[in-house]
Amino acid sequence: MKKLINDPKAVVDESVEGFGLAHADLVVVHTDPLFVTRKVAKAGKVGLLSGGGSGHEPLHAGYVGFGMLDAAVPGAVFTSPTPDAIIAASVAADSGAGVVHIVKNYTGDVLNFETAAEMAQADGIEVRTVLVNDDVAVEDSLYTAGRRGVGGTVLVEKIAGAAAERGDDLDAVAAIGQRVNDNVRTMGVALSACTVPHAGVPSFELAENEIEIGIGIHGEPGRHKIPMEDANGITDRLLEPILADLAPVTGDKVLLFVNGMGGTPASELYIVYRHAAKVLRDAGLVVERSLVGNYITALEMQGCSISVLRLDEEMTELWDAPVLAPALRWGM
Amino acid sequence: MKKLINDPKAVVDESVEGFGLAHADLVVVHTDPLFVTRKVAKAGKVGLLSGGGSGHEPLHAGYVGFGMLDAAVPGAVFTSPTPDAIIAASVAADSGAGVVHIVKNYTGDVLNFETAAEMAQADGIEVRTVLVNDDVAVEDSLYTAGRRGVGGTVLVEKIAGAAAERGDDLDAVAAIGQRVNDNVRTMGVALSACTVPHAGVPSFELAENEIEIGIGIHGEPGRHKIPMEDANGITDRLLEPILADLAPVTGDKVLLFVNGMGGTPASELYIVYRHAAKVLRDAGLVVERSLVGNYITALEMQGCSISVLRLDEEMTELWDAPVLAPALRWGM
Amino acid sequence: MTDSSLDTAWAVDWLRRSAAVVSENRMALIELDRAIGDGDHGENLDRGFSAILEKLDSEPPLTPAATFKLAAMTLMSKVGGAAGPLYGTAFLRMGTAMGEAVEIDSALLAAGLAAARDGVVARGKAEVGDKTMIDAWTPAVDAAISAADAGASPAAVLAAAAAAAESGAVATDPLIAHKGRASYLGERAIGHRDPGAASSAMILRAAAQAGGASA
Amino acid sequence: MTDSSLDTAWAVDWLRRSAAVVSENRMALIELDRAIGDGDHGENLDRGFSAILEKLDSEPPLTPAATFKLAAMTLMSKVGGAAGPLYGTAFLRMGTAMGEAVEIDSALLAAGLAAARDGVVARGKAEVGDKTMIDAWTPAVDAAISAADAGASPAAVLAAAAAAAESGAVATDPLIAHKGRASYLGERAIGHRDPGAASSAMILRAAAQAGGASA
Ligand SMILES: Nc1ncnc2c1ncn2[C@@H]1O[C@H](COP(=O)(O)OP(=O)(O)O)[C@@H](O)[C@H]1O
Ligand SMILES: Nc1ncnc2c1ncn2[C@@H]1O[C@H](COP(=O)(O)OP(=O)(O)O)[C@@H](O)[C@H]1O
Ligand SMILES: [Mg+2]
Ligand SMILES: [Mg+2]
Ligand SMILES: [Mg+2]
Ligand SMILES: [Mg+2]
């Protein structure tokens, strides 16, 4: 394992410390428990909080700032944070109007956030939870832990963040977050595995000509392995279940999000974007907005995910609203 | 070789096409010859043009936009573009006030841009060239091709771009670009090699516990291999020749730029940033501005470079000026 | 402490032995989790139990219940992931079940283990056969209750529980998972042992060893 | 065409054979450049010479000079990197040196090769021993001039040039590079052949084969 790290056990602490130093104009890093808050809080605004295992950078701390998150709680690598940190961050994010927790649907995240929400509520903080579960690679049935939260999380955080910033109340912010989740579908592919620092070995094995379809963002194996294909073929494979499940109709406006898993060059993401845009156009959809880059990653994994969000006018407006966070910035 | 590509020979064309589709609000892609221009040109402004081999994305096309480049000319992967494309882009970038070429110091780039500049001048376009050569890994002597242009290029493009945007004339824009180059030093490290699509094999070999110090951005081998070290140790090794060469004095204000080579997680870049900021502080310098992320890459190479730019008030002001390009955006 | 009861020293010894076995098997648990999960189970538990050791030194608990509550709070705030809240709940409920008792007899021990298991079920909603730690805990609790009903000593109750947990963990190998991360894998989970069931068996074996050692 | 001169057919054949040899050795040249450069030399030349083939078909040139100018313009606009302008300049100067001649005798041939080499030096400022294509071109030009002065046929002049270029390329192996990307490597370039010298030797061998075949 070759990584730019010191002690594998200190990876998250040191990385978040460096992040805080580099973006001292925008964020404040709190330690023990570890969480990140917006430098300039806005009184009376609904607080937006997210968190989860580390290793998905810039998610979530990179989205703390004006128009997006008020607080982010990074756990150990690929491990949900603990309730005490979530509670402390909720207290910091609450200015009286309540806090929305954006939680990716994994057993660990759900259990820890559930506990934290209960305890925060007991302390008088109103909490609403938006559970993100956009991953069409996983069957959503009684016999699984349900669909995972993946790429759609970034879109939920941006759009709900803009709603909170414009002054929506607690239920309204949660409702728009939920609406984004209901309208977004994601599917991913890995060309290589990633190596968790404390494990020191790649999280799964892939032969030289194999890829893993339906991958999540934790180095967990995906739906199945297939022989390597070209970018257009892979793009088709990712979009097919997305469109089958989202079932858009001709003329629907969508946001197309091609996300890098951390180890894939931008040039390759644009090659995927190119074909995906064509497929959506051919399906009668209008690609109104786009996002291409490393926004929710799995350490240095090579691969990408595609998310398609069906937009309505309000979502588009909130997407376009100014945002000023370390990893997403426009309009100011 | 596993890459999200179709035909290896079509990588640049397809990628730039996708880039143009994703950022149609900001840029226009021209084909045959291939170059990228700003969507909304500003009449009477000095044109700023850069280019070079592809594979360093978001450099250069990602920096086409308000407050930065007017045109970018992508060559084949790791291969300088040809004079005809540079000339066509120069014509497009010229609105009568002349064009500044920002060229990274490699034999191929220098020769092709030289030829293009000559021919453009013959066609009545005033051209000034800023040659970027910030890489302290290479000895600058009669016996080498001279220092390479690496991370500092991004800073030259941003600051010269802001100068052009505020209305500086041709010589002034070239002069500030030159001043940035004179005050910036860079050094890089690779933990793994990258694979050029047409070659299909990694560009150099590294044993499981080796790293390559003094790497450039073309998958060329570096200054020497050393056994793997921790992030703090590597950071010390990169900063030492930078500071020796830049020779800053106590109280100097600097911009600290930690750049990912494409395959390194953001979390690791922040671990490097953390220690680099500390070393600079201990050296009596003031880190006034920071940039952390994948801004000038070598495909999917794992590793990073550190650049230190000694700031003066004007450079800082131009750095802070609004920029609106696909890969760099603030203030608007 | 007598043959017919366990005390605070046993509870503390259990936790210390758990910390040791988890630390020894850190990489093995990571490997199991790497195969059908995300490879952090060993690291997470090791972090949690190391923290318990520190707490035991700095604030020695006075009752078995206090010992388990200390474990619960520490696991809850140090482990994260699925295992943190689940093991945290298990130890919390066990502590609650034991009340103020300083001597734990076989019946109370079995009741404590049952409460722990019920806590995990309440939080995680898993059933036997879902390929989770419940597949170790439920046979362990059944064996403990049978042994206690038959008049066995606490040490024997723990030995029965540990053996049943070990068989239960092994029995997860051929299963498809219905809970946790392994459920994303469908049939690809077949042939792999559930990491949480494996760690549960180790921890219950540690309880038995502590019981045997001090019996 | 006679024994004592070469013509446009030879020039065209040279380029076609160059395209073939570059395409065959594409991977070998990539490998050489991968070792001490950036691994694109074979790809770049292959792209350039393939484009030359297309141009030769669509606009057949009428003189040797026109043939070389077509090659020069195509290489300049298709190759990029260092090799594009350098080979482009070489063919451009060779074409210019040959003027309107349709029959190239040994003296003009040697003068053309010398002009090509001088063009590369003018652009790239490399000297013999800098581990560049000049290390193939300069001995080739020297051998060509000697042979021409000694009254050799054009075919023999080219054969001498090709042989000298090949030796010159081999002789780059032990050198440290002072120009181009390999100069960044210092001593680590020792033991590797310069890719541009290697491709130059191939291209000059193609010239000789075209000369011999048509002689
Ligand atoms: N719903 C559940 N009920 C009971 N146990 C569960 C449940 N979900 C997961 N587990 C247990 O947790 C273990 C995984 O723990 P761990 O790897 O620490 O957490 P994570 O899956 O968050 O990475 C699984 O092996 C399984 O035994
Ligand atoms: N200054 C120079 N003068 C002569 N030849 C040079 C010079 N610089 C580089 N070369 C030649 O160019 C070759 C490399 O070509 P190529 O790989 O196509 O370009 P690049 O180095 O831009 O990738 C070298 O092997 C060398 O022979
Ligand atoms: Mg986990
Ligand atoms: Mg090159
Ligand atoms: Mg796990
Ligand atoms: Mg090369």
Side-chain angles (χ1 to χ4, degrees):
Chain A
M1 172 185 63
K2 283 193 279 191
K3 290 180 176 288
L4 288 169
I5 61 173
N6 299 300
D7 177 3
K9 294 198 190 293
V11 162
V12 173
D13 286 343
E14 291 187 357
S15 168
V16 176
E17 184 186 338
F19 170 84
L21 289 172
H23 304 291
D25 51 332
L26 298 176
V27 301
V28 178
V29 171
H30 307 256
T31 51
D32 221 356
L34 183 70
F35 63 98
V36 177
T37 55
R38 219 164 122 163
K39 180 130 185 214
V40 186
K42 186 163 157 187
K45 181 182 120 16
V46 168
L48 204 61
L49 178 155
S50 192
S54 291
H56 309 302
E57 290 69 27
L59 193 83
H60 297 275
Y63 303 131
V64 170
F66 180 93
M68 215 158 164
L69 300 181
D70 295 278
V73 193
V77 174
F78 292 171
T79 299
S80 158
T82 52
D84 54 326
I86 302 169
I87 295 166
S90 299
V91 170
D94 184 37
S95 65
V99 177
V100 174
H101 287 181
I102 298 177
V103 182
K104 302 191 294 306
N105 186 37
Y106 298 94
T107 307
D109 294 80
V110 170
L111 294 181
N112 286 286
F113 271 90
E114 226 172 60
T115 308
E118 256 177 62
M119 296 173 77
Q121 303 251 31
D123 282 359
I125 299 176
E126 278 289 295
V127 177
R128 297 287 177 280
T129 299
V130 177
L131 200 64
V132 184
N133 62 346
D134 56 320
D135 185 4
V136 294
V138 171
E139 249 185 289
D140 190 12
S141 82
L142 273 177
Y143 302 108
T144 66
R147 286 185 164 168
R148 300 175 286 209
V150 285
T153 314
V154 179
L155 312 181
V156 171
E157 293 180 3
K158 167 65 183 90
I159 292 175
E165 202 68 55
R166 78 174 169 192
D168 283 15
D169 70 18
L170 188 62
D171 287 318
V173 172
I176 185 93
Q178 188 60 49
R179 198 159 95 224
V180 175
N181 182 61
D182 293 345
N183 285 282
V184 65
R185 300 292 186 284
T186 300
M187 178 100 174
V189 63
L191 276 61
S192 72
C194 55
T195 298
V196 178
H198 64 246
V201 282
S203 52
F204 53 86
E205 269 98 41
L206 276 178
E208 177 48 37
N209 73 333
E210 269 179 353
I211 59 176
E212 182 93 41
I213 293 280
I215 195 80
I217 51 171
H218 295 87
E220 66 272 52
R223 209 191 235 184
H224 53 270
K225 293 191 210 294
I226 60 162
M228 182 65 197
E229 286 186 3
D230 67 17
N232 291 354
I234 291 171
T235 303
D236 288 336
R237 273 184 199 275
L238 299 184
L239 279 176
E240 196 257 317
I242 289 173
L243 295 180
D245 201 89
L246 186 64
V249 300
T250 304
D252 272 359
K253 292 172 177 167
V254 298
L255 183 156
L256 172 56
F257 172 26
V258 176
N259 172 62
M261 288 293 174
T264 293
S267 50
E268 297 181 24
L269 301 180
Y270 283 116
I271 290 176
V272 170
Y273 178 89
R274 169 182 172 273
H275 188 64
K278 184 177 167 339
V279 171
L280 296 184
R281 226 171 25 235
D282 291 351
L285 306 180
V286 184
V287 179
E288 281 259 304
R289 295 293 182 273
S290 298
L291 188 67
V292 183
N294 291 340
Y295 291 99
I296 170 169
T297 62
L299 295 169
E300 73 285 357
M301 188 184 281
Q302 286 187 295
C304 72
S305 65
I306 301 181
S307 301
V308 178
L309 168 63
R310 183 179 19 229
L311 290 165
D312 56 34
E313 255 177 53
E314 188 184 21
M315 282 194 243
T316 307
E317 193 180 294
L318 292 169
W319 177 257
D320 290 344
V323 56
L324 174 47
L328 207 67
R329 182 166 184 173
W330 56 70
M332 60 194 297
Chain B
M1 173 186 61
K2 283 193 280 189
K3 290 180 176 291
L4 289 169
I5 61 173
N6 298 300
D7 177 4
K9 294 198 189 294
V11 162
V12 173
D13 286 343
E14 291 187 359
S15 169
V16 175
E17 183 186 339
F19 170 84
L21 288 172
H23 304 289
D25 50 332
L26 299 176
V27 301
V28 178
V29 171
H30 308 256
T31 51
D32 220 359
L34 184 70
F35 64 97
V36 177
T37 55
R38 219 164 124 164
K39 181 132 185 212
V40 186
K42 187 163 158 187
K45 182 183 118 17
V46 168
L48 203 62
L49 179 154
S50 191
S54 291
H56 310 302
E57 290 69 26
L59 194 83
H60 297 276
Y63 303 131
V64 171
F66 180 93
M68 215 159 163
L69 299 181
D70 295 279
V73 194
V77 175
F78 291 171
T79 300
S80 158
T82 53
D84 55 326
I86 301 168
I87 295 165
S90 300
V91 170
D94 184 36
S95 65
V99 177
V100 174
H101 287 180
I102 298 177
V103 182
K104 303 191 292 307
N105 186 36
Y106 299 94
T107 307
D109 294 80
V110 170
L111 294 181
N112 285 287
F113 272 89
E114 225 171 61
T115 308
E118 254 177 65
M119 297 173 75
Q121 303 251 33
D123 282 0
I125 298 177
E126 279 288 296
V127 177
R128 296 287 178 281
T129 298
V130 176
L131 199 64
V132 184
N133 62 345
D134 55 320
D135 185 2
V136 293
V138 171
E139 250 186 289
D140 191 11
S141 81
L142 273 179
Y143 302 108
T144 67
R147 288 185 164 170
R148 301 174 288 208
V150 285
T153 314
V154 179
L155 312 182
V156 171
E157 293 180 3
K158 167 65 183 89
I159 292 175
E165 202 69 56
R166 77 173 172 192
D168 284 14
D169 70 19
L170 188 62
D171 287 319
V173 173
I176 184 93
Q178 188 60 49
R179 197 159 96 226
V180 175
N181 181 61
D182 293 344
N183 285 282
V184 64
R185 300 292 186 282
T186 299
M187 178 101 174
V189 62
L191 277 61
S192 72
C194 56
T195 299
V196 179
H198 64 248
V201 281
S203 51
F204 53 87
E205 270 97 41
L206 275 179
E208 177 48 36
N209 73 333
E210 270 178 353
I211 60 176
E212 183 93 38
I213 293 280
I215 195 78
I217 52 170
H218 295 87
E220 65 271 53
R223 206 190 237 185
H224 53 270
K225 293 192 211 297
I226 59 163
M228 182 65 197
E229 286 187 2
D230 68 16
N232 291 354
I234 292 170
T235 303
D236 288 336
R237 274 184 198 273
L238 299 183
L239 279 176
E240 196 257 317
I242 289 174
L243 294 181
D245 201 89
L246 187 62
V249 300
T250 304
D252 272 359
K253 293 172 175 167
V254 297
L255 183 155
L256 172 57
F257 172 26
V258 176
N259 172 62
M261 288 293 176
T264 293
S267 49
E268 297 181 25
L269 301 180
Y270 283 116
I271 289 177
V272 170
Y273 178 89
R274 170 181 170 273
H275 189 63
K278 184 178 167 339
V279 171
L280 296 184
R281 226 172 25 236
D282 291 352
L285 307 180
V286 184
V287 179
E288 281 260 304
R289 295 292 182 272
S290 299
L291 188 67
V292 183
N294 291 339
Y295 290 100
I296 170 170
T297 62
L299 295 170
E300 72 285 357
M301 188 184 281
Q302 285 187 296
C304 72
S305 65
I306 301 181
S307 301
V308 178
L309 167 64
R310 182 177 21 228
L311 290 166
D312 57 35
E313 255 178 54
E314 188 183 23
M315 282 193 239
T316 308
E317 192 180 293
L318 292 168
W319 177 257
D320 290 344
V323 56
L324 174 46
L328 206 68
R329 183 168 181 172
W330 56 71
M332 59 194 299
Chain C
M1 187 163 71
T2 69
D3 249 23
S4 65
S5 72
L6 300 167
D7 56 10
T8 308
W10 160 76
V12 169
D13 192 31
W14 176 10
L15 294 179
R16 291 195 186 280
R17 287 173 185 264
S18 296
V21 71
V22 161
S23 159
E24 251 162 58
N25 288 282
R26 179 180 158 277
M27 213 48 222
L29 292 171
I30 284 177
E31 280 302 314
L32 290 180
D33 196 30
R34 216 162 64 83
I36 57 170
D38 58 353
D40 59 0
H41 190 58
E43 177 74 11
N44 293 347
L45 287 188
D46 189 32
R47 184 173 58 243
F49 278 97
S50 303
I52 288 178
L53 289 184
E54 283 177 32
K55 284 264 177 71
L56 287 175
D57 289 336
S58 63
E59 356 166 342
L62 299 179
T63 62
T67 311
F68 297 135
K69 283 183 180 167
L70 173 157
M73 297 320 293
T74 309
L75 293 174
M76 204 84 99
S77 73
K78 290 293 173 190
V79 175
L86 293 173
Y87 272 117
T89 304
F91 280 105
L92 192 67
R93 296 284 181 99
M94 186 151 47
T96 306
M98 291 179 175
E100 303 298 308
V102 289
E103 300 280 297
I104 313 291
D105 65 13
S106 291
L108 189 51
L109 178 60
L113 292 172
R117 188 266 321 267
D118 293 347
V120 175
V121 171
R123 304 254 24 199
K125 312 274 181 318
E127 295 171 12
V128 170
D130 282 351
K131 195 168 186 140
T132 70
M133 59 173 71
I134 285 304
D135 290 339
W137 278 93
T138 289
V141 167
D142 292 347
I145 292 175
S146 298
D149 285 354
S153 69
V157 166
L158 287 171
E166 283 158 358
S167 310
V170 172
T172 63
D173 290 9
L175 300 178
I176 291 181
H178 294 154
K179 292 286 174 201
R181 274 177 212 287
S183 71
Y184 308 143
L185 284 181
E187 309 223 317
R188 290 169 86 186
I190 291 174
H192 297 279
R193 187 154 310 166
D194 177 61
S199 63
S200 296
M202 289 170 192
I203 288 168
L204 287 168
R205 175 56 67 197
Q209 285 168 338
S214 58
Chain D
M1 187 162 70
T2 68
D3 250 23
S4 66
S5 72
L6 299 166
D7 57 9
T8 308
W10 160 75
V12 169
D13 192 31
W14 176 11
L15 293 179
R16 289 194 188 281
R17 285 173 186 264
S18 297
V21 71
V22 160
S23 158
E24 251 163 57
N25 288 282
R26 177 179 159 278
M27 215 44 226
L29 292 171
I30 284 176
E31 280 303 314
L32 291 180
D33 197 29
R34 216 162 62 83
I36 55 170
D38 58 352
D40 59 0
H41 190 59
E43 177 73 12
N44 292 347
L45 287 188
D46 188 33
R47 185 172 59 244
F49 279 97
S50 303
I52 289 177
L53 290 184
E54 283 177 33
K55 285 264 177 70
L56 289 175
D57 289 336
S58 63
E59 356 166 339
L62 300 177
T63 61
T67 310
F68 297 136
K69 283 185 179 165
L70 173 156
M73 297 321 292
T74 310
L75 293 174
M76 205 84 101
S77 74
K78 290 292 173 191
V79 175
L86 293 173
Y87 273 118
T89 303
F91 280 106
L92 193 66
R93 296 283 180 98
M94 184 152 48
T96 305
M98 291 178 176
E100 303 297 306
V102 289
E103 300 281 297
I104 313 291
D105 64 14
S106 290
L108 189 51
L109 178 61
L113 292 172
R117 189 267 320 269
D118 293 347
V120 175
V121 171
R123 304 258 17 205
K125 314 272 183 312
E127 296 171 11
V128 169
D130 282 352
K131 195 168 186 139
T132 70
M133 57 173 73
I134 285 304
D135 290 339
W137 278 93
T138 289
V141 167
D142 292 346
I145 292 174
S146 299
D149 285 355
S153 70
V157 167
L158 287 171
E166 282 158 359
S167 308
V170 172
T172 63
D173 291 8
L175 300 178
I176 291 182
H178 294 153
K179 292 285 174 203
R181 274 176 212 289
S183 71
Y184 308 144
L185 284 181
E187 309 224 316
R188 290 170 84 187
I190 291 175
H192 297 279
R193 187 155 309 167
D194 177 62
S199 63
S200 296
M202 289 171 192
I203 288 168
L204 287 169
R205 175 58 65 197
Q209 285 167 339
S214 59

